[in-house]
Amino acid sequence: MRTRAAHRQRRGERTKMAAAEGGGARPDTAVQRAELRALLATALRPGEAWYLVDISWFKQWKKFVGFDSWDTFGVGDPSLFPGPVDNSGLFSDAETQSLKEHLIDELDYVLVPTEAWNKLVAWYGCIDGQQPIVRKVVEYGLFVKHCKVEVYLLELKLCESSDPDNVISCHFSKADTVATIEKEMRKLFNIPAEKETRLWNRYMSNTFEQLSKPDSTVQDAGLYHGQIVLIEVKNDDDTWPRQHLLAKGSGFVCNSYNCGDSASLSQPGLCGLSNLGNTCFMNSALQCLSNTPPLTDYFLEDKYEAEINQNNPLGMRGEIAEAYAELIKQIWSGRQSHVAPRMFKTQVGRFAPQFSGYQQQDSQELLAFLLDGLHEDLNRVKKKPYLELKDANGRPDSVVAKEAWENHRLRNDSIIVDIFHGLFKSTLVCPKCSKVSVTFDPFCYLTLPLPLRRDRLMEVTLVYADPQRRPVQYRVVVPMMGAISDLCESLSKISGVPAENMVVTDVYNHRFHKIFQMDEGLNHIMPKDDIFVYEVCKPSEDGSEYVTLSVYFREKTMRQSSNTSGTVLFGQPLLISVPKHKLTVDHLYVVVLEQISRYVKLPLAEEQSTPCSDKGTCNGSSGVAEGDIEEMDHQDGGQEGKEKLSEIECHSDGCMQVESTRDLQPCKKQHFTFSLVNSYGTSEINSIVEGKILKLNAFSTLAIDWDSDTRRLLFDEQEAQAFEKHSSLLQPQKKKAVVALRDCIELFTTMETLGEHDPWYCPNCKKHQQATKKFDLWSLPKILVVHLKRFSYSRYWRDKLDTVVEFPIRGLNMSEFVCDPRRGSYIYDLIAVSNHYGAMGVGHYTAYAKNKVNDKWYYFDDSSVSVASEDQIVTKAAYVLFYQRRNSEEHLAPSPPQEECDGMDTN
């Protein structure tokens, strides 16, 4: 077994790094700051090139030049020199330099325009052998034009119709046209210009669709990642080869909703939806809506035709409604086992650019867009009147609710409002003057919070001070909103190492990406981070002052391109503590040699050689001056904070004494040399002078440089990466708490105090106040859509809550939560569930739904449909629930009976 860090180490060893700082003459930091600030504000324009820069390097640069607003004086920190631009953290493979999947803008990388990239490279240089990551700006949308940088290009698999097994992969922009693909294919397959051709895409094993519009873009043609595209060359007798296949019944069609087996009959509604490339989120939402009886009946009975509103400025000219109607008719025709919702997806992408690509999206967000789009396309109100909002001002709730509902229906009147809309009651109370504000607002779905976990599990690796002990991986329980000190206390209890002797680090690509202070929040640590906790002991018998140093391993290599030397980081970085009065190269050599003795095996004769005294006779300039030292990028505090860790004393019997018997250096050739480097290990700050006391600060970074032969002979890679697993990793985890749906509803209707960044303007006090706010349910719709808020976002944290929520399949009684005194009985039965499996931003969507014809449950997984049982439905994957109200008792709405459900005004 290897940790992710070990995998990164092996991968990172292939990334060449420039030892020199690189770059040309740099202007001062104020000029850099001003020039980049202006360039980063540049608007995106179609066709222009933008560059990706690793967020870690860019943050270090920002601190170096004082870019952020919190740097009041704008002077930056000269000790944080970032070195050459380094994008190695964005690559899944250092050799091919292919991008990792699912990178997120502003979290993993930043985008800079061409001029900004050129300036950064001119000032700082670039890692040796690393190619720039350049991408084009493309335009999405039909009416609302939306530009974005196309970080991930689309891979198409190209082949000739006559030789479908000879497939060549090619990457295209979504803005490229079908004509561009044809031109490329002619070149790849040596097709003469005079030969007539036509293109086909294959989206199922034996189903093809002609790409007949040369000026259609890749996006509009509905091509997806991995799509097979064939080119067909016309015969000399003016016939097409495919005509013979069509005569034999092959599935070559021009209908975007065609299915491979159109002759067979199936149960209406039991029709899968082909995955067009990360479109499972759309398929899941569509299957839930398709199995919502009142909405599907409305479309199957063509009632929508008379109500299409083509002139609504908030609508989509009726095109979303028509595309949805066509798809529903295909699904419920009973003639097909699965269809490809290609035209529907294209229409959605035209009006909602965020859904136009082929990256994973959120089924609930698509559902919200679709319900809103259908509502506006089918709004019976042709001209919306202007209405003034009125506060309750002491009037009875029933009067205010009726007024709010009627006003809503004057502007919003559609099948969506009839079926899906309900009414919230919102109560705000001023903490100063006790002013009460009551409003009633329409809603289309309920977003319910899940009770948050109070703690989280973290896996960390403890690196002991004893150099002969292998690192040990532990699983610890820490408070969800705790601090680094909580992590150390928890680890101390099961490891026996005193918490005050621990330094918590994030190790990435053989270097310290971050070294944490004890008071930093654990929310800075994400699940994917490799956290190493170092036991750092500093004896204090003689009262000496100790300094803690970061040590990186580097291999000196020869660059083939320029015949000059470079360096490659490898191995696990070290943290060592050394008395300030012994900060000499000779003493550091002995200390480091002891620390790595478990996996660096010296020849036996050398180990037994007689040590000679530290003469300190090397000539040269005086030692490194104070202030020239590179500090780690996390060191934002003053010197007091930086030196804090050097004051730690040793409280553990197992601590390795740095003052060892090997304090004297053997009179042998040294196996490595020292360099003072930046925190990335890529740029040398100053030369190390032998024989002098080095003036190094806390967390200065040293590199120990090895030549390739010495590393190969002495460095035991396998032992260096070896670690042990503590029993805490093997213990069964506690069964996750089960939450009832009513717990989520109660949490939603609980009174809360508004945050300081989200105050309410009190009309009495004439100022913003942190009021108390309470939501209640006044009326509920025929179809109640419940969105379980499983995804949480913060500046540092993006997480999915996989709590199991127990929800009833039938008989959900919502009556007690409805505060309208004239309410009837609100009893609901489940009809559909949208599921999400996996982590946030990735994973897979499916659906469970109850067929309205035979009342049986089915599982929809893209093009596959299978029978399901009720006991399969309640899982931790349940994300959006669809409930249908029983008709045994009519609902008493705040307005006429036929208008019992309400909606959300999109104005």
Side-chain angles (χ1 to χ4, degrees), residues 409-422:
R409 292 304 293 252
L410 287 172
R411 294 174 58 82
N412 302 278
D413 184 13
S414 71
I415 183 65
I416 303 300
V417 177
D418 297 341
I419 295 173
F420 290 97
H421 287 201

Side-chain angles (χ1 to χ4, degrees), residues 46-113:
E48 288 187 345
W50 283 59
Y51 291 75
L52 275 70
V53 179
D54 187 294
I55 193 76
S56 300
W57 186 92
F58 194 70
K59 280 182 177 178
Q60 179 115 343
W61 172 80
K62 286 168 75 175
K63 289 177 181 178
F64 177 64
V65 301
F67 190 86
D68 288 316
S69 56
W70 50 259
D71 191 338
T72 317
F73 302 104
V75 295
D77 187 340
S79 69
L80 295 178
F81 183 76
V85 180
D86 182 6
N87 281 333
S88 55
L90 302 179
F91 299 133
S92 60
D93 187 299
E95 287 180 359
T96 62
Q97 296 188 11
S98 52
L99 277 188
K100 291 177 181 175
E101 293 184 1
H102 312 300
L103 293 174
I104 300 172
D105 188 16
E106 300 293 339
L107 190 68
D108 299 300
Y109 63 85
V110 292
L111 290 161
V112 301

Side-chain angles (χ1 to χ4, degrees), residues 464-501:
Y464 290 94
D466 179 354
Q468 299 309 313
R469 290 190 68 176
R470 286 181 173 178
V472 177
Q473 198 173 25
Y474 291 88
R475 180 182 289 141
V476 293
V477 180
V478 294
M480 179 64 75
M481 301 309 292
I484 295 295
S485 56
D486 295 308
L487 168 60
C488 294
E489 290 293 343
S490 183
L491 182 57
S492 177
K493 288 176 183 175
I494 55 176
S495 70
V497 174
E500 58 268 28
N501 287 3

